[in-house]
Amino acid sequence: MALAYDPRSVDGETLDALLYDHLNSWGVSDTFYLDFVMGAENVLDVGCGTGTILSRARSEGHAGRLCGLDPDPAMLDQARESDAAEWLLAPAAEASWKGEFDLAIMSGNAFQCLLDDETTRASLAAIHRALVAGGRFVFDTRNPAMHEWRTWNPEDPFEIVDPLGEPMRIYQEAGEPDAHGVVALKARFEAGYWEQPLVASCGLRFISPEALDRHLTANGFTVEHRFGAWDETPFDPGNSRSIITVVRAV
Ligand SMILES: C[S@@+](CC[C@H](N)C(=O)[O-])C[C@H]1O[C@@H](n2cnc3c(N)ncnc32)[C@H](O)[C@@H]1O
């Protein structure tokens, strides 16, 4: 895929998006979602990012409707390099489809970008509206009980080779969650071609399974499965890294 931007001349947020595929190669979580996508006719990928899952589904012969939605222009510009799907620039809460999809997915912990109760409510309501009756929504979010943000610290940088083939060093830094479970995350990028490091910041909400279920019930979803790992191990509140949930719109 061609580079949508030159890493030497972007801001930190755009660089973060540009490096996304570089840092997140295809993995078991993508295969988990791909199986659902290949088994559905009309699919909405909420927070589709660079569009990897829908593009793979099309290349593997998916013949139905594939639609990806994401509010980040730099992520969506990369998705738009492919004509595998319809791509829409918008947050979940602004999705206006009514009864058009039999599956919605929200992969790669994109659910953690819903930073407060009102955004979560409005996003789930829009996803529910977009689904046919009985349609499924599959998504994952990190389990707050595992305190994973404590492993994101500047003492533990990682070195990569950037998309231009140049060495780059990435330092991550995360605080403790605020009263709403939101962890502020900062990434600092250092490469030889910048005088100053570039910085990207975001918030990620860590929601408990109990709070999640209250939101799901209030927005007309019933939980069909809850896994704690991509091999479909059942969710264990004290040990599972992820809360992977399959719900149906009732
Ligand atoms: C970690 S990325 C995951 C991308 C992709 N789903 C994947 O599996 O690779 C999270 C994505 O969620 C998107 N996002 C942020 N806020 C969102 C919102 N309110 N509604 C939908 N997507 C959102 C971000 O722009 C980003 O592309």
Side-chain angles (χ1 to χ4, degrees), residues 20 45-49 53 69-72 75 91-92 106-108 110 113-114:
Y20 189 79
D45 185 351
V46 182
C48 64
I53 293 175
L69 167 139
D70 200 287
D72 182 330
M75 291 291 245
M106 200 164 185
S107 65
C113 297
L114 309 178

Side-chain angles (χ1 to χ4, degrees), residues 32 59 66 73-74 87 99 104 114 126 130 150 161 163 178 205 207 212 230:
F32 173 90
S59 71
L66 299 175
W87 307 111
L114 309 178
R150 291 185 185 152
V161 176
D178 69 11
R205 189 180 196 196
I207 191 166
L212 187 56
W230 302 109

Side-chain angles (χ1 to χ4, degrees), residues 27-249:
V28 283
S29 61
D30 302 298
T31 301
F32 173 90
Y33 283 104
L34 184 66
D35 286 348
F36 280 95
V37 173
M38 296 307 284
E41 184 70 25
N42 300 306
V43 183
L44 174 62
D45 185 351
V46 182
C48 64
T50 57
T52 310
I53 293 175
L54 295 187
S55 296
R56 176 72 74 101
R58 189 66 84 203
S59 71
E60 294 207 356
H62 194 286
R65 182 174 180 202
L66 299 175
C67 195
L69 167 139
D70 200 287
D72 182 330
M75 291 291 245
L76 209 65
D77 279 353
Q78 293 175 78
R80 284 179 169 148
E81 297 278 326
S82 156
D83 59 5
E86 302 160 44
W87 307 111
L88 188 84
L89 182 70
E94 288 177 20
S96 57
W97 295 283
K98 290 195 177 63
E100 295 186 37
F101 300 97
D102 49 321
L103 174 72
I105 62 170
M106 200 164 185
S107 65
N109 298 300
F111 197 86
Q112 290 191 254
C113 297
L114 309 178
L115 297 184
D116 54 52
D117 283 339
E118 177 47 29
T119 308
T120 304
R121 187 206 61 72
S123 302
L124 285 173
I127 293 166
H128 190 281
R129 243 187 344 262
L131 289 168
V132 297
R136 291 204 281 189
F137 175 44
V138 187
F139 65 100
D140 58 295
T141 181
R142 294 181 186 87
N143 181 6
M146 302 306 283
H147 305 122
E148 195 176 321
W149 60 86
R150 291 185 185 152
T151 65
W152 303 333
N153 58 65
E155 288 74 48
D156 204 10
F158 48 104
E159 312 252 0
I160 65 159
V161 176
D162 80 1
L164 299 170
E166 300 288 332
M168 183 178 285
R169 188 176 273 247
I170 305 175
Y171 298 81
Q172 286 189 305
E173 188 173 347
E176 283 297 305
D178 69 11
H180 307 285
V182 176
V183 167
L185 177 64
K186 194 163 85 178
R188 197 174 83 240
F189 305 96
E190 291 182 1
Y193 44 77
W194 298 310
E195 285 182 10
Q196 299 289 329
L198 290 198
V199 174
S201 307
C202 72
L204 291 177
R205 189 180 196 196
F206 285 75
I207 191 166
S208 71
E210 296 77 18
L212 187 56
D213 285 346
R214 283 195 292 276
H215 277 292
L216 290 167
T217 305
N219 284 285
F221 288 106
T222 53
V223 175
E224 203 170 74
H225 301 289
R226 174 150 295 151
F227 305 119
W230 302 109
D231 61 2
E232 303 193 4
T233 304
F235 177 69
D236 173 352
N239 279 307
S240 296
R241 183 174 170 240
S242 294
I243 309 170
I244 304 163
T245 307
V246 180
V247 294
R248 252 185 217 282

